[in-house]
């Protein structure tokens, strides 16, 4: 008896000591490095005192006496809250992930160095005018002031990975911008996919998979041995590393933005809304802040910024507002090169041979004694991707990548000009300096104007459309220049009274320049326009409802085909009734939404799966990874499926060599969907809720480790799907995976009264898990709620939580 009590007591003491140890470790690693958000902070480099007022959502409102101190202070607040995120971004650009993560980051480093993200950023830095260069330097000075103060107390990720941050530089700012640009450029993957499809299906069937492909335009690739193997290997390689590169290739990566003019706004002044759709991650890709120069006519701007560089990406200043959506313009081409038979550094161009540029880089790998050696060969078209493949480089035909992001231009210079602009003419002039990534800008100002304009470098091709790899030695597929900025699609004060941008097709077939075949399916844009037309005037509340709208237009089309079925099985009859009676809203408690999603996925598998073989996953946009899927086709599989359902006996409906009618296909699909529900959810139809299958996990880069519980958040059930305005896209495969893309930030800007404007992040402001604002916006975001986008000093004071004085 005494022995048992003694053992119990010892075990309790050990458990208590372990618990105490965990508390001490948590306090040391997580709580000790928390940023100082109140009191005073003396920072060398400041020219005068700066106020940082943080509101109850952790959003800093910065008041500085000069623009130089303003950018310094933005560097301070970014570094206080998101230094790890910034560090990770610059290491992606530098190709230095393996230094921290070992072989896990090696392939991403090889890609980054091959593509040349850091080299492109260096070219941009060398070409920057003095004013934006000075802003970058002041921002970097602010970041370094915080790094110097951290000393032995860096954020938790640095401690756990046992390294300290290096000083920040203007080049690092532009490197972060290049990663962002790469993440929103994905056409090279489409070209690889088409190459594999052409080998399997031939040109006619491959073209038939493209909803926007013009009839009679052939899809061809050079008849080069081994090209299809290269395409397949590169697709697989990139799929394994895409997690490091952010939103690129995620299903639904895009955005919504729209504006109405004063005629359609209840206040008589324009309203603007935007919500970028980015990878679901922790911390959020964007960061809210309000920046203000207190001197007369000084810069005043607020909204969402990109940690790592100065300025506001989505937001408003004292005169105008803007929001960005990704424009899926084709800014990348692959070229098959012809190597000299005896000199591997010479490549044919027309009747001669040109010497390639060769760069040797070494990549340090954690836990590995010797660094990896990487040889990067660049032809006139860009770097060869062969070095990413297994085996010797000469085992494969040379394949070069040309990308608009290789040019000296970026977007930081344009962004800072947009932030400062006070008139539409000034804003447009600044926006037209935007080089990469291509974006569609929705604009509104206090004078009553609204506009939409495409910005970015768009290649003008001498021949062809850049849909598949082209021969690089003929000189017939070169880029002859860039489409003039004023020739890109734009709309100013349209008669309709509104502008809408949701990654949809922007031009008619008579537009003289080729932009892309990879527009989104248009359902989000159509729904937004339908709602804007549905009433003569709109309020801020109307925009809130629309940003959180979950009506699925493709479901309306697809369900009508199921309604003619007459199944014998009682469970299938129940499911069909729930589906047909459904209101087409993808609410998380909806049974109809769950049944539709399963039918949608199984239809795609039955229609395209056996015909496409190994390329099927890439065509759907899921590849091998449930968390970071490959989607060069941006939902076009679903778009093409809806087109095919209009044909009762389409070729694609066949089951192998056996023809199958549309109704037979639909019945098989319903049977399989119901079987899945019964097996995974149970035999109570009340539990067949969309939210049981459709959830979001906000994963941190360290979330796959044993400390995932500390850094990641979720899962949480969410509304919507890949085609709703409130987008929450997921991999179109079974079992259904977590949401991969959703709105990272929502803003609604009232040009009549900026203090009536609203915003919300999908996670929280802070990147430090011990901070109360690390994940406090998840629930408001999920429920469609907002917080004030406070503008006037009086309103900021009303919601003040903490005040920090930065002193020289």
């Amino acid at each position: 008896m005494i022995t048992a009590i003694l053992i119990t007591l010892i075990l309790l003491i050990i458990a208590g000591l372990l618990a105490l140890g965990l508390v001490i470790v948590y306090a040391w690693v997580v709580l000790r490095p928390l940023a100082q958000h109140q009191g005073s902070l003396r920072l060398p480099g400041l020219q005068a005192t700066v106020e940082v007022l943080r509101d109850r959502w952790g959003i800093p409102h910065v008041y500085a006496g000069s623009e130089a101190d303003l950018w310094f202070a933005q560097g301070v607040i970014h570094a206080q809250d998101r230094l790890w995120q910034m560090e990770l971004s610059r290491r992606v650009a530098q190709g230095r992930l393996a230094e921290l993560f070992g072989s896990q980051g090696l392939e991403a480093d090889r890609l980054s160095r091959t593509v040349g993200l850091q080299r492109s950023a260096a070219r941009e830095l060398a070409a920057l005018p003095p004013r934006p260069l000075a802003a970058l330097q002041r921002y970097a000075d602010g970041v370094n002031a915080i790094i110097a103060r951290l000393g032995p107390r860096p954020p938790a990720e640095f401690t756990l990975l046992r390294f300290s941050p290096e000083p920040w530089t203007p080049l690092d700012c532009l490197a972060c911008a290049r990663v962002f640009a790469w993440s929103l450029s994905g056409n090279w993957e489409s070209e690889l996919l088409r190459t594999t499809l052409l080998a399997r299906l031939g040109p006619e069937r491959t073209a038939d998979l493209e909803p926007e492909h013009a009839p009679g335009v052939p899809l061809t690739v050079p008849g080069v041995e081994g090209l299809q193997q290269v395409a397949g290997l590169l697709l697989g390689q990139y799929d394994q590393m895409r997690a490091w590169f952010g939103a690129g290739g995620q299903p639904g990566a895009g955005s919504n933005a729209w504006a109405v003019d004063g005629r359609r706004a209840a206040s008589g002044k324009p309203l603007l809304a935007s919500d970028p759709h980015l990878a679901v991650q922790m911390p959020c890709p964007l960061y809210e802040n309000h920046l203000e120069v207190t001197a007369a006519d000084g810069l005043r701007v607020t909204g969402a910024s990109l940690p790592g560089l100065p300025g506001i990406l989505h937001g408003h200043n004292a005169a105008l507002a803007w929001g960005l959506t990704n424009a899926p313009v084709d800014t990348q081409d692959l070229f098959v090169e012809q190597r000299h038979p005896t000199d591997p550094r010479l490549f044919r161009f027309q009747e001669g041979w040109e010497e390639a540029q060769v760069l040797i880089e070494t990549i340090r790998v954690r836990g590995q004694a010797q660094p990896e050696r990487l040889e990067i060969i660049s032809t006139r078209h860009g770097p060869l991707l062969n070095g990413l493949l297994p085996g010797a480089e000469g085992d494969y035909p040379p394949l070069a990548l040309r990308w608009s992001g290789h040019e000296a231009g970026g977007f930081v210079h344009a962004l800072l000009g947009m932030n400062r602009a006070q008139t539409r003419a000034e804003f447009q002039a600044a926006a037209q300096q935007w080089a990469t990534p291509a974006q569609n800008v929705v604009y509104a100002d206090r004078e009553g104007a609204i506009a939409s304009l495409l910005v970015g470098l768009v290649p003008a091709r001498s021949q062809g459309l850049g849909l598949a790899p082209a021969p690089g030695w003929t000189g017939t597929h070169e880029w002859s220049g860039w489409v003039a900025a004023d020739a890109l699609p734009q709309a100013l004060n349209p008669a309709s009274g509104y502008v809408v941008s949701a990654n949809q097709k922007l031009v008619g077939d008579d537009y003289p320049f080729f932009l892309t075949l990879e527009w989104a399916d248009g359902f989000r844009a159509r729904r937004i326009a339908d709602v804007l037309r549905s009433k003569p005037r709109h309020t801020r509340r109307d925009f809130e409802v629309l940003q959180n709208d979950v009506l699925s237009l493709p479901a309306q089309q697809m369900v009508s085909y199921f309604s003619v079925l007459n199944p014998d099985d009682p469970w299938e009859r129940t499911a069909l009734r729930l589906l047909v009676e459904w209101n087409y809203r993808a609410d998380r408690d909806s049974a109809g939404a769950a049944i539709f999603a399963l039918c949608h996925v199984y239809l795609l598998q039955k229609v395209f799966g056996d015909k496409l073989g190994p390329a099927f996953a890439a065509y759907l946009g899921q590849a091998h990874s449930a968390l970071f899927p490959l989607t060069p086709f941006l939902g076009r599989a679903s778009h093409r499926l809806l087109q095919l359902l209009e044909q009762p006996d389409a070729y694609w409906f066949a089951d192998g060599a056996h023809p199958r009618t549309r109704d037979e296909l639909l019945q098989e699909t319903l049977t399989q969907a119901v079987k899945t529900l019964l097996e995974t959810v149970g035999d109570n139809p009340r539990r067949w809720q969309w939210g049981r299958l459709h959830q979001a996990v906000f994963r941190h880069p360290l979330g796959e480790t044993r400390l995932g519980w500390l850094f990641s958040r979720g899962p949480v059930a969410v509304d919507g799907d890949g085609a709703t305005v409130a987008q929450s896209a997921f991999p179109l495969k079974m079992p259904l995976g977590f949401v991969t893309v959703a709105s990272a930030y929502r803003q609604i800007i009232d040009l009549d009264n900026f203090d009536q404007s609203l915003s919300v992040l999908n996670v929280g402001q802070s990147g430090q898990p011990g901070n109360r604002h690390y994940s406090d916006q998840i629930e408001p975001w999920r429920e469609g709620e907002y917080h004030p986008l406070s503008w006037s000093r009086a309103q900021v004071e009303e919601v003040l939580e903490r005040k920090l004085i930065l002193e020289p």
Side-chain angles (χ1 to χ4, degrees), residues 387-528:
L388 304 174
L389 299 173
E393 183 178 300
D395 294 344
Y396 309 98
L399 192 64
L401 169 68
R402 181 157 194 194
W403 173 39
S404 63
H406 288 143
E407 303 299 313
F411 70 82
V412 175
H413 181 195
L415 182 67
L416 296 178
M418 292 158 63
N419 284 196
R420 296 188 185 101
Q422 295 298 301
T423 66
R424 182 182 62 81
E426 290 176 356
F427 184 90
Q428 185 165 353
Q432 288 182 341
Q433 298 179 64
W434 191 291
T436 185
Q439 297 283 287
N440 207 50
V441 184
V442 170
Y443 164 96
D445 64 37
R446 303 198 74 173
E447 299 300 315
I450 61 172
S452 171
L453 57 151
L454 178 66
V455 298
L457 293 177
V458 177
R461 295 174 173 85
S462 56
Q463 179 179 313
L465 303 180
L467 300 180
W473 62 88
T474 64
T476 56
H477 291 76
E478 301 301 292
W479 290 7
S480 56
W482 309 103
V483 178
D486 57 6
L488 295 175
Q490 56 184 282
L492 172 64
N493 296 327
S496 64
Y498 64 82
V499 290
V500 175
S501 179
N503 321 114
Q504 80 278 18
K505 189 175 182 179
L506 296 174
V507 294
D509 292 337
D510 58 346
Y511 183 69
F513 303 103
F514 174 72
L515 296 177
T516 185
L517 290 184
E518 296 171 27
W519 305 109
D521 52 31
F523 289 114
R524 284 182 288 116
R526 191 186 315 168
R527 174 60 178 164
I528 294 167

Side-chain angles (χ1 to χ4, degrees), residues 17-67:
L17 290 174
L18 288 174
L20 179 61
L22 288 174
V23 169
I24 293 173
V25 170
Y26 180 82
W28 183 265
V29 174
V30 177
L31 299 182
R32 191 173 69 106
L34 287 180
Q36 179 181 342
H37 287 167
Q38 62 185 4
S40 63
L41 189 60
R42 191 171 298 278
L43 297 174
L46 270 179
Q47 298 170 357
T49 298
V50 174
E51 292 181 286
V52 180
L53 278 60
R54 289 181 183 265
D55 63 27
R56 65 182 62 161
W57 300 277
I59 299 166
H61 304 261
V62 180
Y63 300 89
S66 67
E67 195 171 306

Side-chain angles (χ1 to χ4, degrees), residues 258 271-273 531 538-550 725-726 746-749 756-759 783-787:
W258 65 88
L271 286 168
L272 181 145
V531 172
H538 294 269
T539 65
R540 183 190 64 180
R541 178 57 184 160
D542 293 327
F543 274 30
E544 292 178 52
V545 173
L546 181 51
Q547 269 194 335
N548 291 279
D549 184 89
V550 291
V725 176
R746 298 183 185 126
Q747 68 174 16
I748 298 172
I749 299 176
Q756 297 298 314
S757 300
L758 302 169
S759 64
E783 297 299 332
E785 299 173 3
Y786 298 77
H787 59 71

Side-chain angles (χ1 to χ4, degrees), residues 693-770:
L693 305 175
H694 187 62
Q695 301 178 342
V697 173
F698 299 90
R699 277 195 170 83
H700 185 279
L702 298 183
E704 298 302 319
T705 68
R706 293 179 180 178
L707 292 174
W709 60 272
L710 174 62
F711 293 103
S712 298
R713 294 294 183 270
V716 295
V718 293
D719 302 317
D721 64 22
T724 56
V725 176
Q727 191 183 64
S728 52
F730 59 97
L732 297 173
K733 71 174 202 174
M734 293 301 300
L736 296 184
F738 293 117
V739 171
T740 53
V741 162
S743 61
Y745 167 75
R746 298 183 185 126
Q747 68 174 16
I748 298 172
I749 299 176
D750 187 340
L751 276 295
D752 179 58
N753 182 356
F754 284 136
D755 274 336
Q756 297 298 314
S757 300
L758 302 169
S759 64
V760 67
L761 290 177
N762 65 355
V763 181
Q765 272 289 105
S766 178
Q768 295 185 290

Side-chain angles (χ1 to χ4, degrees), residues 169 258 337:
T169 69
W258 65 88
E337 305 287 19

